[in-house]
Amino acid sequence: MQKHILLFTVLCAALLSACEKTIDFKGDGTAPMIVVNGLVVPGKPVEVSVTKSQSFLADAYLFEVLTDAKVDLYVDGEFAETLDLVEVESSEIISHYYPDYSEWAFRGQTIAENGKTYRLEVAREGLQSVSCETTVPDEVELLAVDTATELIPVNHGTQELWAIKIKFNDNAENENFYRVQVDQITGVNKNHYLGEKENSDTIILGEQLALYLDLVDPVFGSTDEANEIVTGTPDNEYALFDDTQIGGREYTVKVGLPHNYNPYRPYPLDEDNGNFLERKIVFYALSPEYYEYLKSATNHFYYADDYFSEPVPVYSNVRGGMGVFAALDSVSCSFISGTYPMEGKVYVKDYRYGGYGYGY
């Protein structure tokens, strides 16, 4: 037994010493490429961002927008229009850290429709031209949404679970891909938030996007326990599933939300204080491109820091370039406890209150 331990120790020492070798990067990286990112949504004009890739050694947070690119849109194989360059509102995070930054996108007049295929041909002088294509999924046929509080067994007793059951009709003519998402907005009277008893006219809003869900339904797949012991197995962070086990029929998919995802609970409801809790349940039908992108993103980030795993590239359907051009359709419903909005109250966002889940 001691010989085995000694041999194992020698092998570990050899491996660790081998990891100390320094390999100089010569700087001959991949040439810059066109990056296209966009989601086609029914009822909205087609819009994409077009930027230039940069070296992983670059310290710039923002990518260069290719404002002089030419973006042609084709619908079901026929030329539709050349998209216009428009200035768009920057995300709140970018606006906070880069107040002078202008964000641009290419937008057309074509309104996206279910079942149609959209292709982009993007060209810019000095860079290789690229193309990408996606088909908008059929309209989601949501039949019912039920919620209830359930007790589920855990290691040391039971846990309260907000069980969500979503009944929908799967189209048998196509291969379909889905995602379940739950967002949460909480409103707390400013004085209550500060520990005071009197009511204020100001309500502090906290937003949590894509909360972590308990995927209790078999359509989400199961964890490989044997592999989990050795290397771990990525969670299905985006609550993705396909219709392999459904087969073109009505189906009720079930997810659970732990009650501890409710930071509102300590604050009482009444008709005057303005405290409320809103939970928004969103059911998506995804194009194959978006489904593959989210799956690859899960694996990419999970294995990024694992030195014993092969790197996982993030999926791209941009031929000749990078990025993802995909489509989705969605339907949602909200459940509100309390009154929102309330007349006479002022609502202010506070990003220290709340947070984000897996919001890709």
Side-chain angles (χ1 to χ4, degrees), residues 36-60:
V36 180
N37 285 301
L39 275 176
V40 182
V41 180
K44 295 184 178 181
V46 177
E47 179 180 311
V48 294
S49 70
V50 180
T51 58
K52 185 172 72 172
S53 67
Q54 62 185 17
S55 169
F56 70 92
L57 297 176
D59 58 1

PDB file of all heavy atoms in Angstrom, residues 36-60:
ATOM      1  N   VAL A  36     -21.757  39.057 -35.461  1.00  0.00           N
ATOM      2  CA  VAL A  36     -23.175  39.398 -35.597  1.00  0.00           C
ATOM      3  C   VAL A  36     -23.941  38.765 -34.440  1.00  0.00           C
ATOM      4  O   VAL A  36     -23.829  37.563 -34.192  1.00  0.00           O
ATOM      5  CB  VAL A  36     -23.754  38.893 -36.932  1.00  0.00           C
ATOM      6  CG1 VAL A  36     -25.233  39.256 -37.044  1.00  0.00           C
ATOM      7  CG2 VAL A  36     -22.972  39.463 -38.109  1.00  0.00           C
ATOM      8  N   ASN A  37     -24.704  39.563 -33.723  1.00  0.00           N
ATOM      9  CA  ASN A  37     -25.542  39.049 -32.638  1.00  0.00           C
ATOM     10  C   ASN A  37     -26.938  39.646 -32.748  1.00  0.00           C
ATOM     11  O   ASN A  37     -27.095  40.870 -32.868  1.00  0.00           O
ATOM     12  CB  ASN A  37     -24.943  39.407 -31.267  1.00  0.00           C
ATOM     13  CG  ASN A  37     -23.742  38.559 -30.923  1.00  0.00           C
ATOM     14  OD1 ASN A  37     -23.832  37.338 -30.861  1.00  0.00           O
ATOM     15  ND2 ASN A  37     -22.594  39.190 -30.706  1.00  0.00           N
ATOM     16  N   GLY A  38     -27.946  38.778 -32.710  1.00  0.00           N
ATOM     17  CA  GLY A  38     -29.304  39.287 -32.777  1.00  0.00           C
ATOM     18  C   GLY A  38     -30.330  38.200 -32.543  1.00  0.00           C
ATOM     19  O   GLY A  38     -30.076  37.023 -32.826  1.00  0.00           O
ATOM     20  N   LEU A  39     -31.480  38.601 -32.013  1.00  0.00           N
ATOM     21  CA  LEU A  39     -32.609  37.702 -31.800  1.00  0.00           C
ATOM     22  C   LEU A  39     -33.808  38.219 -32.591  1.00  0.00           C
ATOM     23  O   LEU A  39     -34.189  39.386 -32.456  1.00  0.00           O
ATOM     24  CB  LEU A  39     -32.976  37.640 -30.306  1.00  0.00           C
ATOM     25  CG  LEU A  39     -32.207  36.651 -29.428  1.00  0.00           C
ATOM     26  CD1 LEU A  39     -32.646  36.804 -27.974  1.00  0.00           C
ATOM     27  CD2 LEU A  39     -32.435  35.224 -29.896  1.00  0.00           C
ATOM     28  N   VAL A  40     -34.381  37.349 -33.400  1.00  0.00           N
ATOM     29  CA  VAL A  40     -35.565  37.710 -34.176  1.00  0.00           C
ATOM     30  C   VAL A  40     -36.798  37.326 -33.363  1.00  0.00           C
ATOM     31  O   VAL A  40     -36.951  36.167 -32.956  1.00  0.00           O
ATOM     32  CB  VAL A  40     -35.570  36.993 -35.537  1.00  0.00           C
ATOM     33  CG1 VAL A  40     -36.781  37.430 -36.352  1.00  0.00           C
ATOM     34  CG2 VAL A  40     -34.274  37.278 -36.296  1.00  0.00           C
ATOM     35  N   VAL A  41     -37.668  38.307 -33.127  1.00  0.00           N
ATOM     36  CA  VAL A  41     -38.852  38.108 -32.288  1.00  0.00           C
ATOM     37  C   VAL A  41     -40.092  38.504 -33.087  1.00  0.00           C
ATOM     38  O   VAL A  41     -40.125  39.599 -33.672  1.00  0.00           O
ATOM     39  CB  VAL A  41     -38.760  38.961 -31.000  1.00  0.00           C
ATOM     40  CG1 VAL A  41     -39.994  38.742 -30.128  1.00  0.00           C
ATOM     41  CG2 VAL A  41     -37.487  38.625 -30.230  1.00  0.00           C
ATOM     42  N   PRO A  42     -41.117  37.649 -33.143  1.00  0.00           N
ATOM     43  CA  PRO A  42     -42.334  37.986 -33.890  1.00  0.00           C
ATOM     44  C   PRO A  42     -42.942  39.300 -33.417  1.00  0.00           C
ATOM     45  O   PRO A  42     -42.986  39.585 -32.214  1.00  0.00           O
ATOM     46  CB  PRO A  42     -43.271  36.809 -33.595  1.00  0.00           C
ATOM     47  CG  PRO A  42     -42.385  35.697 -33.174  1.00  0.00           C
ATOM     48  CD  PRO A  42     -41.206  36.328 -32.506  1.00  0.00           C
ATOM     49  N   GLY A  43     -43.398  40.098 -34.400  1.00  0.00           N
ATOM     50  CA  GLY A  43     -44.034  41.366 -34.079  1.00  0.00           C
ATOM     51  C   GLY A  43     -43.067  42.522 -33.923  1.00  0.00           C
ATOM     52  O   GLY A  43     -43.496  43.665 -33.709  1.00  0.00           O
ATOM     53  N   LYS A  44     -41.758  42.262 -34.017  1.00  0.00           N
ATOM     54  CA  LYS A  44     -40.758  43.314 -33.877  1.00  0.00           C
ATOM     55  C   LYS A  44     -39.895  43.364 -35.138  1.00  0.00           C
ATOM     56  O   LYS A  44     -39.712  42.352 -35.824  1.00  0.00           O
ATOM     57  CB  LYS A  44     -39.878  43.064 -32.652  1.00  0.00           C
ATOM     58  CG  LYS A  44     -40.636  43.131 -31.337  1.00  0.00           C
ATOM     59  CD  LYS A  44     -39.688  42.969 -30.146  1.00  0.00           C
ATOM     60  CE  LYS A  44     -40.433  43.094 -28.830  1.00  0.00           C
ATOM     61  NZ  LYS A  44     -39.517  42.968 -27.660  1.00  0.00           N
ATOM     62  N   PRO A  45     -39.325  44.550 -35.448  1.00  0.00           N
ATOM     63  CA  PRO A  45     -38.440  44.628 -36.614  1.00  0.00           C
ATOM     64  C   PRO A  45     -37.152  43.847 -36.381  1.00  0.00           C
ATOM     65  O   PRO A  45     -36.702  43.700 -35.232  1.00  0.00           O
ATOM     66  CB  PRO A  45     -38.164  46.131 -36.743  1.00  0.00           C
ATOM     67  CG  PRO A  45     -38.437  46.698 -35.393  1.00  0.00           C
ATOM     68  CD  PRO A  45     -39.517  45.854 -34.796  1.00  0.00           C
ATOM     69  N   VAL A  46     -36.575  43.335 -37.442  1.00  0.00           N
ATOM     70  CA  VAL A  46     -35.313  42.606 -37.344  1.00  0.00           C
ATOM     71  C   VAL A  46     -34.208  43.595 -36.979  1.00  0.00           C
ATOM     72  O   VAL A  46     -34.049  44.637 -37.623  1.00  0.00           O
ATOM     73  CB  VAL A  46     -34.987  41.901 -38.670  1.00  0.00           C
ATOM     74  CG1 VAL A  46     -33.629  41.210 -38.585  1.00  0.00           C
ATOM     75  CG2 VAL A  46     -36.087  40.905 -39.017  1.00  0.00           C
ATOM     76  N   GLU A  47     -33.447  43.257 -35.946  1.00  0.00           N
ATOM     77  CA  GLU A  47     -32.389  44.149 -35.457  1.00  0.00           C
ATOM     78  C   GLU A  47     -31.202  43.323 -34.988  1.00  0.00           C
ATOM     79  O   GLU A  47     -31.377  42.321 -34.291  1.00  0.00           O
ATOM     80  CB  GLU A  47     -32.913  45.019 -34.311  1.00  0.00           C
ATOM     81  CG  GLU A  47     -31.878  45.955 -33.714  1.00  0.00           C
ATOM     82  CD  GLU A  47     -32.444  46.802 -32.579  1.00  0.00           C
ATOM     83  OE1 GLU A  47     -33.529  47.408 -32.781  1.00  0.00           O
ATOM     84  OE2 GLU A  47     -31.831  46.847 -31.495  1.00  0.00           O
ATOM     85  N   VAL A  48     -29.988  43.729 -35.364  1.00  0.00           N
ATOM     86  CA  VAL A  48     -28.779  43.016 -34.955  1.00  0.00           C
ATOM     87  C   VAL A  48     -27.685  44.018 -34.631  1.00  0.00           C
ATOM     88  O   VAL A  48     -27.694  45.161 -35.106  1.00  0.00           O
ATOM     89  CB  VAL A  48     -28.274  42.058 -36.057  1.00  0.00           C
ATOM     90  CG1 VAL A  48     -29.246  40.936 -36.297  1.00  0.00           C
ATOM     91  CG2 VAL A  48     -27.972  42.815 -37.346  1.00  0.00           C
ATOM     92  N   SER A  49     -26.730  43.569 -33.824  1.00  0.00           N
ATOM     93  CA  SER A  49     -25.508  44.337 -33.617  1.00  0.00           C
ATOM     94  C   SER A  49     -24.415  43.735 -34.484  1.00  0.00           C
ATOM     95  O   SER A  49     -24.358  42.524 -34.678  1.00  0.00           O
ATOM     96  CB  SER A  49     -25.092  44.309 -32.143  1.00  0.00           C
ATOM     97  OG  SER A  49     -24.641  43.016 -31.774  1.00  0.00           O
ATOM     98  N   VAL A  50     -23.560  44.592 -35.030  1.00  0.00           N
ATOM     99  CA  VAL A  50     -22.447  44.154 -35.873  1.00  0.00           C
ATOM    100  C   VAL A  50     -21.178  44.804 -35.328  1.00  0.00           C
ATOM    101  O   VAL A  50     -21.041  46.038 -35.368  1.00  0.00           O
ATOM    102  CB  VAL A  50     -22.661  44.540 -37.349  1.00  0.00           C
ATOM    103  CG1 VAL A  50     -21.484  44.075 -38.199  1.00  0.00           C
ATOM    104  CG2 VAL A  50     -23.964  43.938 -37.870  1.00  0.00           C
ATOM    105  N   THR A  51     -20.275  43.997 -34.824  1.00  0.00           N
ATOM    106  CA  THR A  51     -19.043  44.488 -34.229  1.00  0.00           C
ATOM    107  C   THR A  51     -17.856  43.743 -34.813  1.00  0.00           C
ATOM    108  O   THR A  51     -18.009  42.828 -35.621  1.00  0.00           O
ATOM    109  CB  THR A  51     -19.057  44.321 -32.694  1.00  0.00           C
ATOM    110  OG1 THR A  51     -19.253  42.929 -32.379  1.00  0.00           O
ATOM    111  CG2 THR A  51     -20.186  45.128 -32.063  1.00  0.00           C
ATOM    112  N   LYS A  52     -16.654  44.148 -34.388  1.00  0.00           N
ATOM    113  CA  LYS A  52     -15.424  43.493 -34.834  1.00  0.00           C
ATOM    114  C   LYS A  52     -14.819  42.735 -33.668  1.00  0.00           C
ATOM    115  O   LYS A  52     -14.734  43.252 -32.556  1.00  0.00           O
ATOM    116  CB  LYS A  52     -14.435  44.521 -35.384  1.00  0.00           C
ATOM    117  CG  LYS A  52     -13.170  43.882 -35.979  1.00  0.00           C
ATOM    118  CD  LYS A  52     -12.302  44.900 -36.688  1.00  0.00           C
ATOM    119  CE  LYS A  52     -11.595  45.823 -35.738  1.00  0.00           C
ATOM    120  NZ  LYS A  52     -10.613  46.697 -36.430  1.00  0.00           N
ATOM    121  N   SER A  53     -14.394  41.505 -33.927  1.00  0.00           N
ATOM    122  CA  SER A  53     -13.777  40.708 -32.867  1.00  0.00           C
ATOM    123  C   SER A  53     -12.451  41.325 -32.454  1.00  0.00           C
ATOM    124  O   SER A  53     -11.839  42.096 -33.200  1.00  0.00           O
ATOM    125  CB  SER A  53     -13.563  39.272 -33.346  1.00  0.00           C
ATOM    126  OG  SER A  53     -12.591  39.236 -34.391  1.00  0.00           O
ATOM    127  N   GLN A  54     -12.003  40.971 -31.250  1.00  0.00           N
ATOM    128  CA  GLN A  54     -10.729  41.465 -30.762  1.00  0.00           C
ATOM    129  C   GLN A  54      -9.979  40.346 -30.055  1.00  0.00           C
ATOM    130  O   GLN A  54     -10.566  39.341 -29.658  1.00  0.00           O
ATOM    131  CB  GLN A  54     -10.935  42.639 -29.799  1.00  0.00           C
ATOM    132  CG  GLN A  54     -11.709  42.297 -28.538  1.00  0.00           C
ATOM    133  CD  GLN A  54     -11.983  43.525 -27.671  1.00  0.00           C
ATOM    134  OE1 GLN A  54     -11.881  44.657 -28.144  1.00  0.00           O
ATOM    135  NE2 GLN A  54     -12.323  43.313 -26.429  1.00  0.00           N
ATOM    136  N   SER A  55      -8.693  40.514 -29.910  1.00  0.00           N
ATOM    137  CA  SER A  55      -7.854  39.510 -29.271  1.00  0.00           C
ATOM    138  C   SER A  55      -8.262  39.305 -27.821  1.00  0.00           C
ATOM    139  O   SER A  55      -8.704  40.248 -27.140  1.00  0.00           O
ATOM    140  CB  SER A  55      -6.387  39.938 -29.326  1.00  0.00           C
ATOM    141  OG  SER A  55      -5.578  39.118 -28.488  1.00  0.00           O
ATOM    142  N   PHE A  56      -8.107  38.075 -27.334  1.00  0.00           N
ATOM    143  CA  PHE A  56      -8.428  37.808 -25.937  1.00  0.00           C
ATOM    144  C   PHE A  56      -7.448  38.514 -25.007  1.00  0.00           C
ATOM    145  O   PHE A  56      -7.693  38.612 -23.798  1.00  0.00           O
ATOM    146  CB  PHE A  56      -8.421  36.301 -25.663  1.00  0.00           C
ATOM    147  CG  PHE A  56      -7.065  35.656 -25.708  1.00  0.00           C
ATOM    148  CD1 PHE A  56      -6.306  35.526 -24.555  1.00  0.00           C
ATOM    149  CD2 PHE A  56      -6.557  35.190 -26.905  1.00  0.00           C
ATOM    150  CE1 PHE A  56      -5.052  34.944 -24.612  1.00  0.00           C
ATOM    151  CE2 PHE A  56      -5.313  34.601 -26.960  1.00  0.00           C
ATOM    152  CZ  PHE A  56      -4.553  34.476 -25.816  1.00  0.00           C
ATOM    153  N   LEU A  57      -6.346  39.018 -25.541  1.00  0.00           N
ATOM    154  CA  LEU A  57      -5.386  39.765 -24.731  1.00  0.00           C
ATOM    155  C   LEU A  57      -5.764  41.232 -24.593  1.00  0.00           C
ATOM    156  O   LEU A  57      -5.175  41.951 -23.786  1.00  0.00           O
ATOM    157  CB  LEU A  57      -3.985  39.662 -25.350  1.00  0.00           C
ATOM    158  CG  LEU A  57      -3.372  38.262 -25.406  1.00  0.00           C
ATOM    159  CD1 LEU A  57      -2.042  38.299 -26.127  1.00  0.00           C
ATOM    160  CD2 LEU A  57      -3.201  37.701 -23.995  1.00  0.00           C
ATOM    161  N   ALA A  58      -6.717  41.696 -25.400  1.00  0.00           N
ATOM    162  CA  ALA A  58      -7.126  43.100 -25.340  1.00  0.00           C
ATOM    163  C   ALA A  58      -7.808  43.388 -24.019  1.00  0.00           C
ATOM    164  O   ALA A  58      -8.532  42.555 -23.471  1.00  0.00           O
ATOM    165  CB  ALA A  58      -8.055  43.427 -26.502  1.00  0.00           C
ATOM    166  N   ASP A  59      -7.592  44.584 -23.493  1.00  0.00           N
ATOM    167  CA  ASP A  59      -8.187  44.946 -22.207  1.00  0.00           C
ATOM    168  C   ASP A  59      -9.434  45.800 -22.371  1.00  0.00           C
ATOM    169  O   ASP A  59      -9.992  46.296 -21.396  1.00  0.00           O
ATOM    170  CB  ASP A  59      -7.168  45.677 -21.331  1.00  0.00           C
ATOM    171  CG  ASP A  59      -6.610  46.936 -22.000  1.00  0.00           C
ATOM    172  OD1 ASP A  59      -7.038  47.240 -23.133  1.00  0.00           O
ATOM    173  OD2 ASP A  59      -5.744  47.598 -21.387  1.00  0.00           O
ATOM    174  N   ALA A  60      -9.891  45.989 -23.621  1.00  0.00           N
ATOM    175  CA  ALA A  60     -11.091  46.799 -23.860  1.00  0.00           C
ATOM    176  C   ALA A  60     -12.339  45.995 -23.505  1.00  0.00           C
ATOM    177  O   ALA A  60     -12.475  44.838 -23.895  1.00  0.00           O
ATOM    178  CB  ALA A  60     -11.149  47.240 -25.314  1.00  0.00           C
TER     179      ALA A  60
END
